[in-house]
Amino acid sequence: MKHIYLLSNVTLALLFLNDRLVIDNDRLHNADLDKSGTIVLRAGMHAISVKYFLGGASHQLRVSWKGSGFDKTEIPASVLFHVKKGRGFTDEHQL
């Protein structure tokens, strides 16, 4: 299934799905501008990771998605969960 993922932020951010770079937002810009990337995923669990740098006066970061059957919406916490590795939790989530 094809989904479009979007980052809204004023800082530098990278979005990875299954360790594949989907969005490379390498510039400071207005938070009203979305940076997007598209990936085709099969049904099931997928590792999602966002690496970011918070800078400037406004500290905000929104990760959204859209696809067939639904409009752009922030990815809800209800579809994310932590994966326990070793002695603690990682910063990675499963989607």
Side-chain angles (χ1 to χ4, degrees), residues 14-76:
L14 304 170
L15 180 125
F16 296 86
L17 282 161
N18 295 335
D19 296 321
R20 183 173 162 201
L21 181 62
V22 177
I23 300 175
D24 182 353
N25 184 14
D26 62 354
R27 320 194 153 118
L28 296 174
H29 66 278
N30 186 320
D32 295 332
L33 300 174
D34 289 331
K35 184 82 173 188
S36 65
T38 303
I39 189 170
V40 176
L41 299 171
R42 294 179 187 206
M45 296 186 296
H46 301 280
I48 183 170
S49 165
V50 177
K51 301 187 185 306
Y52 59 93
F53 167 78
L54 291 176
S58 175
H59 298 152
Q60 62 178 288
L61 173 69
R62 289 188 305 271
V63 181
S64 305
W65 60 355
K66 64 181 177 179
S68 63
F70 65 98
D71 293 328
K72 176 186 164 187
T73 184
E74 288 185 31
I75 298 176

